[in-house]
Structures are given as structure tokens and as C-alpha cells.
Amino acid sequence: MRICVYGAGAMGTVLGALLTEGGISCDLVTRNEEHVAALREKGAILCGSAEASVPVCALTPREMSGKYDFVFLATKQRENRKTAEYILRFLKADGALITVQNGLPEAELAEILGKDRVYGAALSWGAETEGAGRVRVTSQGGFRIMLGAYGAGERLSELAGLFGARFSVQTGNLSEIRYAKLAVNAAFSTLSAISGLTFGEISVKYKKYTLAILRETLAVAAAAGCNCLPLNGHNLFKVFNQPFARLILPRAMKQYASTRSGMLKDILAGRRCDVDFVAGVVVQAANRFGVSVPYTARAVELVHEVENGLAELSPETLALLDCR
């Protein structure tokens, strides 16, 4: 069986390293040639809450050859259509793509690959690149994967078994899995990109805005037909729609206390971030379903204002969420 992790940034490198450590041989593919060289020389070095040094097979996209049974997609979403077209030439006739991206990426990918070849996975951990070949795991609590099928799901059990070699795996309704992760990302990742704060700091100091965006996303999920939003063994509908959610919030985010948004890192590096594919898709879905999401919509606007130098990257900027 041939497996590829396409987009071996922080999250993709951890995924590929842990699959390899679990005895599942896979290629780690990235356009970052310095990262590829370091992975080849010293292996994938994980630090933080997970310490490991794992020999891996690293490639650039132009070095790919042959056909894969499974490709795990871990790139940014801005070029998903182009990326899917490229990956298609390397998939076996019965091969499948599993996107581990945030948001709701499956529909666009299915337009290229066909819905029955597309699966989605929500990863539980946080990670950031510390240097070529070196990734820090910023979350606590181990490595869990929620897995679902966009189409018929004929290879879902096979995939669950594959992940089970190294991860704690749960399968379920893909829409519910996606909206559960999306609720957390829309709130914490977006507020982190505006403020520069960690998820832990946001959960303690800015509960009003966090809960507002979380609850708006839950309302959109309900409108989309979700009955349960499973995340880390909890139903987010029950956790965040109850009166004591403010008290629960810091405890619920304890394992991600030191995590900062990947979107924040993009902004600091002068790159466009993926907010339109995270909180932005909540706004798009809300418009389709007729759900009001004023805080989420304003948060997306503020991220773009920070990107464009029209607002300061600062905790004080979060107060502008009230100016809707």
C-alpha cells in the first residue's frame, strides 16, 4: 500500500511522522525544499508535548511518481482545486483523498475527484514549525482523529484501521465532525489571528467573543441538520449552549492553552491567511440558511483589516467586534 501526506507543514509532518512510527510507510510531500532536506538528513523531529525523532521519506511535488492508495491533504485551502487536479494523476483508480484541512473543503475536492473518493478527518492536536525538519506539538492530550466519508465511504473501515495503528480513531457523520471542529476554529483561531493571543489566554480573558462565535457556529450547524457535534468525547451543543459555558470554557481549552492560530503565523509572515475557509465558511453557510452571525462576520472582516494594516494585531482590537 502506498500512502502520501501532501502538504507536510507542521500538522502534516506530525501526521506523517506518527503514521511512519506506527509502521505505516508514507511519503511526506512539501514544496519547502529546506524542510525536505532536513527531513531526509535527520528525520522528523517532534518536540513539545510529544518527543520523537522519526526517519521519514520526504519529497517535493515534482519528485512524486507512481500511484497512491491514499493521499492525505494537509495544504492551505486557497489552491484546493488546482491541488486536487495535481493529486488526481497520482491516485490509483480506487484510491482516495483524505483532507485533514479545517473548514468544509470536501465539496470542492469532490468536484475534481468524485464524492466517493473523498474523505474528511479532523485532527485533535496543534503544531507549529520551529525550523526545517522540526515541529513543536503545542497541545496536550494525545493524538485523536475523527473520520468521516463525503460519499459512500467504501474504504472508511480500512482507513480507520490504518489510523488505528498510531492514533485514537472515531468514525461518524462527516458534517457533524466538520462543524464540531469548525466551531472551535472559527472562534479561537480567528480571535488569535486578530489578537496575537494563545487559545488559553482567549478562553480566560475574552469569553464573551469566544462564546458568541461558538454559539453562532452551533446555530449554523443545527440549521445544516447536525444533531450532535462530537469533539474529544463531548457534544459541543450540550457544552456551549448551557448557562455555565463561561465557567467551562477555560477548562475545555486547557489542552490547547499554548496553541496559537496558524492564521496568526501566516499574518506575521506577511502571507494571506485562510480565514475565508474557516470562519468565512460559517458566514457563507449562515447566509444560505438564513442564520444571523454578526460576531463571526465581523471577526472575518477584522482579520482582513489586520492583514491589510488597517487594524492593529492586538488584544485591544477585539473590542471592535462590538462595532457591527
Side-chain angles (χ1 to χ4, degrees), residues 62-307:
R62 67 175 178 272
E63 293 173 317
M64 294 172 67
S65 63
K67 302 284 186 177
Y68 291 97
D69 297 273
F70 295 118
V71 174
F72 297 97
L73 180 62
T75 60
K76 301 291 185 182
Q77 293 186 55
R78 197 168 297 277
E79 296 184 350
N80 259 13
R81 183 174 293 274
K82 180 180 177 181
T83 300
E85 290 171 347
Y86 183 77
I87 288 173
L88 182 59
R89 73 183 74 174
F90 297 103
L91 271 180
K92 292 182 179 179
D94 62 345
L97 181 142
I98 306 91
T99 171
V100 299
Q101 299 163 316
N102 294 318
L104 303 171
E106 287 83 10
E108 183 176 31
L109 295 169
E111 291 178 8
I112 306 300
L113 299 165
K115 66 179 184 179
D116 290 339
R117 303 180 78 184
V118 174
Y119 296 76
L123 311 182
S124 71
W125 62 91
E128 57 186 34
T129 302
E130 285 204 333
R134 184 178 178 89
V135 176
R136 175 170 294 276
V137 179
T138 59
S139 58
Q140 304 290 330
F143 300 95
R144 295 179 299 277
I145 292 178
M146 293 286 294
L147 180 66
Y150 188 71
E154 292 180 356
R155 306 193 73 174
L156 186 61
S157 295
E158 183 181 0
L159 278 168
L162 184 71
F163 277 126
R166 185 58 179 81
F167 303 91
S168 174
V169 184
Q170 184 178 346
T171 60
N173 179 291
L174 181 58
S175 180
E176 295 181 341
I177 291 169
R178 278 299 183 204
Y179 271 105
K181 184 76 182 293
L182 185 56
V184 174
N185 286 329
F188 286 95
S189 294
T190 307
L191 295 180
S192 178
I194 295 168
S195 66
L197 298 175
T198 65
F199 291 6
E201 291 168 326
I202 291 166
S203 71
V204 172
K205 300 176 182 178
Y206 295 96
K207 296 178 181 180
K208 171 186 173 181
Y209 302 130
T210 305
L211 286 173
I213 296 173
L214 276 167
R215 287 168 172 165
E216 287 177 358
T217 307
L218 299 187
V220 174
C226 297
N227 296 309
C228 174
L229 294 187
L231 192 67
N232 298 343
H234 302 283
N235 180 355
L236 298 193
F237 281 132
K238 293 182 178 180
V239 173
F240 293 119
N241 274 336
Q242 52 107 344
F244 300 105
R246 289 177 64 88
L247 301 177
I248 295 171
L249 196 60
R251 187 172 62 185
M253 295 308 296
K254 183 177 181 181
Q255 69 188 70
Y256 304 104
S258 65
T259 298
R260 283 185 168 86
S261 169
M263 294 190 293
L264 170 63
K265 294 159 199 160
D266 286 336
I267 292 172
L268 291 172
R271 300 187 295 263
R272 306 295 291 182
C273 74
D274 267 3
V275 68
D276 292 329
F277 302 96
V278 184
V281 302
V282 176
V283 178
Q284 294 167 18
N287 290 336
R288 291 197 304 272
F289 298 129
V291 177
S292 177
V293 291
Y295 278 97
T296 309
R298 180 61 178 137
V300 173
E301 292 174 355
L302 279 177
V303 171
H304 287 309
E305 289 175 15
V306 171
E307 280 183 323

